[in-house]
Amino acid sequence: MGQGGEPRRAQADDGELGAAVARARDGDEAAFAVAYRIVQPGLLGYLRGIVGDDAEDVASDAWLEIARDLGRFKGDGAGFRGWTATIARHRALDHLRRRRVRPRTTALEQDAVTDLPGPYSTHDQALESLSTQHALELVRGLPQDQAEAVLLRVVVGLDGPAAARVLGKRPGAVRTAAHRGLRRLARRLAVTVTDEEVEEEVSDGDRGAPGDR
């Protein structure tokens, strides 16, 4: 991730997050609040990209499950991000099934882009824009696999292998979906992005076994 990107910030917080989770597992409520503060913004952004305006309700359900099952979690701060994202995703998919609504898979609408500030001069600025409500709506217009790959990488702050575990897919498939999603968003955000920049974006932390690519 380029300078200032969300996963870099997430990585910087992972030490504090891991320590807070360890204390929370021992019953420290203040530590659980710290973990919530660190994880919730990205988790809520991810859910907004899946269920839209119902994200806060789904997040509340997810955190109830997280609190209930925290004693079963074993891992560090980065692992906790992935674990909570998996729980949130399950709750989101349950919510969509109850509503009998599938995630949107239509193309991004060109006229929606006219309200965005810009044009952006760098790829990182485009990725930073994904934290805004309007940009999350644009992400929701991507095919589901691309939308989730971008949200998990950019908004939640997971590396490629962790995002693949959340989605139950191979890292190479998630990397490809993120690549396509970022390229599509970049075109509609009027960002000049080179293939090398996108490849660096989706490959950061993804150096798995050759068979995963």
PDB file of all heavy atoms in Angstrom, residues 11 18-19 21 26 30 49 52 54 56 69 80 89 92 99 112-113 115 120 123 127 131 179 182 204 210:
ATOM      1  N   GLN A  11      -1.739  -1.600   9.899  1.00  0.00           N
ATOM      2  CA  GLN A  11      -0.579  -2.312  10.393  1.00  0.00           C
ATOM      3  C   GLN A  11       0.038  -1.589  11.574  1.00  0.00           C
ATOM      4  O   GLN A  11       0.507  -2.217  12.519  1.00  0.00           O
ATOM      5  CB  GLN A  11       0.435  -2.486   9.263  1.00  0.00           C
ATOM      6  CG  GLN A  11      -0.027  -3.447   8.174  1.00  0.00           C
ATOM      7  CD  GLN A  11       0.782  -3.333   6.910  1.00  0.00           C
ATOM      8  OE1 GLN A  11       1.836  -2.711   6.889  1.00  0.00           O
ATOM      9  NE2 GLN A  11       0.288  -3.933   5.843  1.00  0.00           N
ATOM     10  N   GLY A  18      -3.487  -5.977  19.144  1.00  0.00           N
ATOM     11  CA  GLY A  18      -3.206  -7.296  19.679  1.00  0.00           C
ATOM     12  C   GLY A  18      -3.115  -7.297  21.192  1.00  0.00           C
ATOM     13  O   GLY A  18      -3.632  -8.205  21.866  1.00  0.00           O
ATOM     14  N   ALA A  19      -2.472  -6.260  21.741  1.00  0.00           N
ATOM     15  CA  ALA A  19      -2.361  -6.168  23.201  1.00  0.00           C
ATOM     16  C   ALA A  19      -3.729  -5.963  23.837  1.00  0.00           C
ATOM     17  O   ALA A  19      -4.038  -6.541  24.886  1.00  0.00           O
ATOM     18  CB  ALA A  19      -1.427  -5.016  23.569  1.00  0.00           C
ATOM     19  N   VAL A  21      -6.663  -6.895  22.630  1.00  0.00           N
ATOM     20  CA  VAL A  21      -7.443  -8.132  22.519  1.00  0.00           C
ATOM     21  C   VAL A  21      -7.008  -9.133  23.576  1.00  0.00           C
ATOM     22  O   VAL A  21      -7.847  -9.811  24.196  1.00  0.00           O
ATOM     23  CB  VAL A  21      -7.298  -8.732  21.103  1.00  0.00           C
ATOM     24  CG1 VAL A  21      -7.912 -10.130  21.041  1.00  0.00           C
ATOM     25  CG2 VAL A  21      -7.966  -7.822  20.076  1.00  0.00           C
ATOM     26  N   ASP A  26      -9.075 -11.610  28.832  1.00  0.00           N
ATOM     27  CA  ASP A  26      -8.984 -11.845  30.273  1.00  0.00           C
ATOM     28  C   ASP A  26     -10.059 -11.089  31.050  1.00  0.00           C
ATOM     29  O   ASP A  26     -10.017 -11.043  32.286  1.00  0.00           O
ATOM     30  CB  ASP A  26      -7.602 -11.439  30.789  1.00  0.00           C
ATOM     31  CG  ASP A  26      -6.510 -12.371  30.289  1.00  0.00           C
ATOM     32  OD1 ASP A  26      -6.821 -13.543  30.017  1.00  0.00           O
ATOM     33  OD2 ASP A  26      -5.352 -11.921  30.163  1.00  0.00           O
ATOM     34  N   ALA A  30     -12.291  -2.306  29.403  1.00  0.00           N
ATOM     35  CA  ALA A  30     -11.682  -1.123  28.808  1.00  0.00           C
ATOM     36  C   ALA A  30     -10.836  -1.522  27.597  1.00  0.00           C
ATOM     37  O   ALA A  30     -10.799  -0.820  26.583  1.00  0.00           O
ATOM     38  CB  ALA A  30     -10.831  -0.381  29.840  1.00  0.00           C
ATOM     39  N   GLY A  49     -20.313  -1.080   2.355  1.00  0.00           N
ATOM     40  CA  GLY A  49     -20.126  -1.479   0.969  1.00  0.00           C
ATOM     41  C   GLY A  49     -20.929  -2.701   0.588  1.00  0.00           C
ATOM     42  O   GLY A  49     -21.124  -2.974  -0.592  1.00  0.00           O
ATOM     43  N   GLY A  52     -25.131  -1.337   2.708  1.00  0.00           N
ATOM     44  CA  GLY A  52     -25.566   0.046   2.636  1.00  0.00           C
ATOM     45  C   GLY A  52     -26.003   0.615   3.972  1.00  0.00           C
ATOM     46  O   GLY A  52     -25.287   0.520   4.966  1.00  0.00           O
ATOM     47  N   ASP A  54     -27.934  -0.270   6.200  1.00  0.00           N
ATOM     48  CA  ASP A  54     -28.163  -1.193   7.309  1.00  0.00           C
ATOM     49  C   ASP A  54     -26.864  -1.602   8.005  1.00  0.00           C
ATOM     50  O   ASP A  54     -26.877  -2.473   8.883  1.00  0.00           O
ATOM     51  CB  ASP A  54     -28.883  -2.454   6.812  1.00  0.00           C
ATOM     52  CG  ASP A  54     -30.281  -2.147   6.298  1.00  0.00           C
ATOM     53  OD1 ASP A  54     -30.893  -1.179   6.793  1.00  0.00           O
ATOM     54  OD2 ASP A  54     -30.760  -2.882   5.409  1.00  0.00           O
ATOM     55  N   GLU A  56     -24.867  -0.282  10.249  1.00  0.00           N
ATOM     56  CA  GLU A  56     -24.712  -0.158  11.702  1.00  0.00           C
ATOM     57  C   GLU A  56     -25.464  -1.261  12.445  1.00  0.00           C
ATOM     58  O   GLU A  56     -24.970  -1.786  13.453  1.00  0.00           O
ATOM     59  CB  GLU A  56     -25.171   1.226  12.160  1.00  0.00           C
ATOM     60  CG  GLU A  56     -24.253   2.340  11.688  1.00  0.00           C
ATOM     61  CD  GLU A  56     -24.561   3.669  12.356  1.00  0.00           C
ATOM     62  OE1 GLU A  56     -25.424   3.687  13.266  1.00  0.00           O
ATOM     63  OE2 GLU A  56     -23.941   4.665  11.975  1.00  0.00           O
ATOM     64  N   ASP A  69     -17.834 -14.676  21.548  1.00  0.00           N
ATOM     65  CA  ASP A  69     -16.885 -15.728  21.166  1.00  0.00           C
ATOM     66  C   ASP A  69     -15.427 -15.307  21.330  1.00  0.00           C
ATOM     67  O   ASP A  69     -14.526 -16.030  20.880  1.00  0.00           O
ATOM     68  CB  ASP A  69     -17.121 -16.137  19.711  1.00  0.00           C
ATOM     69  CG  ASP A  69     -18.473 -16.806  19.512  1.00  0.00           C
ATOM     70  OD1 ASP A  69     -19.074 -17.236  20.518  1.00  0.00           O
ATOM     71  OD2 ASP A  69     -18.931 -16.883  18.354  1.00  0.00           O
ATOM     72  N   PHE A  80      -6.998 -10.654  14.423  1.00  0.00           N
ATOM     73  CA  PHE A  80      -8.277 -10.209  14.954  1.00  0.00           C
ATOM     74  C   PHE A  80      -9.068  -9.436  13.910  1.00  0.00           C
ATOM     75  O   PHE A  80     -10.290  -9.583  13.810  1.00  0.00           O
ATOM     76  CB  PHE A  80      -8.048  -9.338  16.196  1.00  0.00           C
ATOM     77  CG  PHE A  80      -9.309  -8.948  16.919  1.00  0.00           C
ATOM     78  CD1 PHE A  80     -10.002  -9.877  17.684  1.00  0.00           C
ATOM     79  CD2 PHE A  80      -9.797  -7.649  16.848  1.00  0.00           C
ATOM     80  CE1 PHE A  80     -11.169  -9.515  18.357  1.00  0.00           C
ATOM     81  CE2 PHE A  80     -10.947  -7.281  17.513  1.00  0.00           C
ATOM     82  CZ  PHE A  80     -11.642  -8.218  18.270  1.00  0.00           C
ATOM     83  N   ARG A  89     -18.938 -10.412   7.834  1.00  0.00           N
ATOM     84  CA  ARG A  89     -19.388 -10.845   6.505  1.00  0.00           C
ATOM     85  C   ARG A  89     -20.520 -11.854   6.617  1.00  0.00           C
ATOM     86  O   ARG A  89     -21.513 -11.779   5.877  1.00  0.00           O
ATOM     87  CB  ARG A  89     -18.222 -11.442   5.723  1.00  0.00           C
ATOM     88  CG  ARG A  89     -18.595 -11.874   4.309  1.00  0.00           C
ATOM     89  CD  ARG A  89     -17.369 -12.312   3.526  1.00  0.00           C
ATOM     90  NE  ARG A  89     -17.735 -12.505   2.132  1.00  0.00           N
ATOM     91  CZ  ARG A  89     -18.056 -13.680   1.601  1.00  0.00           C
ATOM     92  NH1 ARG A  89     -18.054 -14.775   2.366  1.00  0.00           N
ATOM     93  NH2 ARG A  89     -18.365 -13.769   0.311  1.00  0.00           N
ATOM     94  N   ALA A  92     -23.603 -10.042   7.480  1.00  0.00           N
ATOM     95  CA  ALA A  92     -24.089  -9.259   6.349  1.00  0.00           C
ATOM     96  C   ALA A  92     -24.806 -10.148   5.338  1.00  0.00           C
ATOM     97  O   ALA A  92     -25.871  -9.781   4.824  1.00  0.00           O
ATOM     98  CB  ALA A  92     -22.918  -8.525   5.684  1.00  0.00           C
ATOM     99  N   ARG A  99     -33.463 -10.218   3.692  1.00  0.00           N
ATOM    100  CA  ARG A  99     -34.116  -9.182   2.875  1.00  0.00           C
ATOM    101  C   ARG A  99     -34.421  -9.660   1.473  1.00  0.00           C
ATOM    102  O   ARG A  99     -35.045  -8.950   0.683  1.00  0.00           O
ATOM    103  CB  ARG A  99     -33.209  -7.949   2.788  1.00  0.00           C
ATOM    104  CG  ARG A  99     -33.109  -7.165   4.073  1.00  0.00           C
ATOM    105  CD  ARG A  99     -32.085  -6.043   3.931  1.00  0.00           C
ATOM    106  NE  ARG A  99     -32.274  -5.302   2.685  1.00  0.00           N
ATOM    107  CZ  ARG A  99     -31.389  -4.419   2.207  1.00  0.00           C
ATOM    108  NH1 ARG A  99     -30.259  -4.208   2.847  1.00  0.00           N
ATOM    109  NH2 ARG A  99     -31.626  -3.777   1.103  1.00  0.00           N
ATOM    110  N   ALA A 112     -22.979   9.335 -11.409  1.00  0.00           N
ATOM    111  CA  ALA A 112     -22.727   9.415  -9.978  1.00  0.00           C
ATOM    112  C   ALA A 112     -21.360  10.000  -9.680  1.00  0.00           C
ATOM    113  O   ALA A 112     -21.131  10.570  -8.628  1.00  0.00           O
ATOM    114  CB  ALA A 112     -22.825   8.026  -9.347  1.00  0.00           C
ATOM    115  N   VAL A 113     -20.444   9.884 -10.650  1.00  0.00           N
ATOM    116  CA  VAL A 113     -19.078  10.336 -10.427  1.00  0.00           C
ATOM    117  C   VAL A 113     -18.977  11.858 -10.471  1.00  0.00           C
ATOM    118  O   VAL A 113     -18.041  12.434  -9.941  1.00  0.00           O
ATOM    119  CB  VAL A 113     -18.147   9.698 -11.489  1.00  0.00           C
ATOM    120  CG1 VAL A 113     -16.697  10.107 -11.275  1.00  0.00           C
ATOM    121  CG2 VAL A 113     -18.261   8.186 -11.442  1.00  0.00           C
ATOM    122  N   ASP A 115     -20.333  14.059  -8.822  1.00  0.00           N
ATOM    123  CA  ASP A 115     -20.368  14.685  -7.507  1.00  0.00           C
ATOM    124  C   ASP A 115     -19.073  14.518  -6.731  1.00  0.00           C
ATOM    125  O   ASP A 115     -18.910  15.092  -5.661  1.00  0.00           O
ATOM    126  CB  ASP A 115     -21.503  14.081  -6.658  1.00  0.00           C
ATOM    127  CG  ASP A 115     -22.860  14.403  -7.246  1.00  0.00           C
ATOM    128  OD1 ASP A 115     -22.967  15.439  -7.929  1.00  0.00           O
ATOM    129  OD2 ASP A 115     -23.796  13.620  -7.025  1.00  0.00           O
ATOM    130  N   TYR A 120      -8.371  13.229  -9.066  1.00  0.00           N
ATOM    131  CA  TYR A 120      -7.301  12.898  -8.140  1.00  0.00           C
ATOM    132  C   TYR A 120      -6.004  12.781  -8.918  1.00  0.00           C
ATOM    133  O   TYR A 120      -5.983  12.381 -10.059  1.00  0.00           O
ATOM    134  CB  TYR A 120      -7.603  11.576  -7.436  1.00  0.00           C
ATOM    135  CG  TYR A 120      -8.830  11.635  -6.580  1.00  0.00           C
ATOM    136  CD1 TYR A 120     -10.070  11.250  -7.081  1.00  0.00           C
ATOM    137  CD2 TYR A 120      -8.754  12.103  -5.276  1.00  0.00           C
ATOM    138  CE1 TYR A 120     -11.201  11.320  -6.289  1.00  0.00           C
ATOM    139  CE2 TYR A 120      -9.885  12.168  -4.483  1.00  0.00           C
ATOM    140  CZ  TYR A 120     -11.099  11.773  -4.997  1.00  0.00           C
ATOM    141  OH  TYR A 120     -12.215  11.839  -4.228  1.00  0.00           O
ATOM    142  N   HIS A 123      -2.843   7.488  -7.179  1.00  0.00           N
ATOM    143  CA  HIS A 123      -3.623   6.308  -6.829  1.00  0.00           C
ATOM    144  C   HIS A 123      -4.011   6.329  -5.362  1.00  0.00           C
ATOM    145  O   HIS A 123      -5.142   6.016  -5.001  1.00  0.00           O
ATOM    146  CB  HIS A 123      -2.781   5.066  -7.131  1.00  0.00           C
ATOM    147  CG  HIS A 123      -3.546   3.789  -7.053  1.00  0.00           C
ATOM    148  ND1 HIS A 123      -2.957   2.594  -6.758  1.00  0.00           N
ATOM    149  CD2 HIS A 123      -4.857   3.518  -7.228  1.00  0.00           C
ATOM    150  CE1 HIS A 123      -3.854   1.645  -6.772  1.00  0.00           C
ATOM    151  NE2 HIS A 123      -5.018   2.169  -7.044  1.00  0.00           N
ATOM    152  N   LEU A 127      -7.650   5.842  -3.375  1.00  0.00           N
ATOM    153  CA  LEU A 127      -7.937   4.855  -2.347  1.00  0.00           C
ATOM    154  C   LEU A 127      -8.407   5.524  -1.071  1.00  0.00           C
ATOM    155  O   LEU A 127      -9.290   5.019  -0.375  1.00  0.00           O
ATOM    156  CB  LEU A 127      -6.687   4.016  -2.077  1.00  0.00           C
ATOM    157  CG  LEU A 127      -6.214   3.197  -3.275  1.00  0.00           C
ATOM    158  CD1 LEU A 127      -4.926   2.471  -2.929  1.00  0.00           C
ATOM    159  CD2 LEU A 127      -7.277   2.213  -3.708  1.00  0.00           C
ATOM    160  N   SER A 131     -13.014   5.915   1.760  1.00  0.00           N
ATOM    161  CA  SER A 131     -13.559   6.018   3.108  1.00  0.00           C
ATOM    162  C   SER A 131     -14.807   6.884   3.154  1.00  0.00           C
ATOM    163  O   SER A 131     -15.477   6.950   4.169  1.00  0.00           O
ATOM    164  CB  SER A 131     -12.497   6.596   4.064  1.00  0.00           C
ATOM    165  OG  SER A 131     -12.175   7.921   3.689  1.00  0.00           O
ATOM    166  N   HIS A 179      -7.456  -6.255  -8.186  1.00  0.00           N
ATOM    167  CA  HIS A 179      -6.837  -5.569  -9.320  1.00  0.00           C
ATOM    168  C   HIS A 179      -7.902  -5.023 -10.256  1.00  0.00           C
ATOM    169  O   HIS A 179      -7.891  -3.841 -10.626  1.00  0.00           O
ATOM    170  CB  HIS A 179      -5.928  -6.554 -10.054  1.00  0.00           C
ATOM    171  CG  HIS A 179      -5.196  -5.972 -11.226  1.00  0.00           C
ATOM    172  ND1 HIS A 179      -5.808  -5.707 -12.422  1.00  0.00           N
ATOM    173  CD2 HIS A 179      -3.897  -5.620 -11.372  1.00  0.00           C
ATOM    174  CE1 HIS A 179      -4.927  -5.214 -13.268  1.00  0.00           C
ATOM    175  NE2 HIS A 179      -3.755  -5.152 -12.650  1.00  0.00           N
ATOM    176  N   LEU A 182     -10.012  -2.186  -8.499  1.00  0.00           N
ATOM    177  CA  LEU A 182      -9.296  -0.916  -8.373  1.00  0.00           C
ATOM    178  C   LEU A 182      -9.138  -0.228  -9.716  1.00  0.00           C
ATOM    179  O   LEU A 182      -9.249   1.003  -9.815  1.00  0.00           O
ATOM    180  CB  LEU A 182      -7.927  -1.157  -7.733  1.00  0.00           C
ATOM    181  CG  LEU A 182      -7.947  -1.484  -6.237  1.00  0.00           C
ATOM    182  CD1 LEU A 182      -6.576  -1.957  -5.783  1.00  0.00           C
ATOM    183  CD2 LEU A 182      -8.392  -0.279  -5.430  1.00  0.00           C
ATOM    184  N   ASP A 204       0.919  -6.169  -2.280  1.00  0.00           N
ATOM    185  CA  ASP A 204       1.538  -5.832  -1.012  1.00  0.00           C
ATOM    186  C   ASP A 204       1.100  -6.820   0.062  1.00  0.00           C
ATOM    187  O   ASP A 204      -0.058  -6.926   0.395  1.00  0.00           O
ATOM    188  CB  ASP A 204       1.133  -4.410  -0.610  1.00  0.00           C
ATOM    189  CG  ASP A 204       1.841  -3.942   0.650  1.00  0.00           C
ATOM    190  OD1 ASP A 204       2.990  -4.355   0.857  1.00  0.00           O
ATOM    191  OD2 ASP A 204       1.232  -3.166   1.400  1.00  0.00           O
ATOM    192  N   PRO A 210       3.824 -19.965  -5.110  1.00  0.00           N
ATOM    193  CA  PRO A 210       3.499 -19.796  -6.528  1.00  0.00           C
ATOM    194  C   PRO A 210       2.164 -20.431  -6.897  1.00  0.00           C
ATOM    195  O   PRO A 210       1.460 -19.928  -7.755  1.00  0.00           O
ATOM    196  CB  PRO A 210       4.671 -20.508  -7.232  1.00  0.00           C
ATOM    197  CG  PRO A 210       5.816 -20.423  -6.263  1.00  0.00           C
ATOM    198  CD  PRO A 210       5.159 -20.526  -4.901  1.00  0.00           C
TER     199      PRO A 210
END
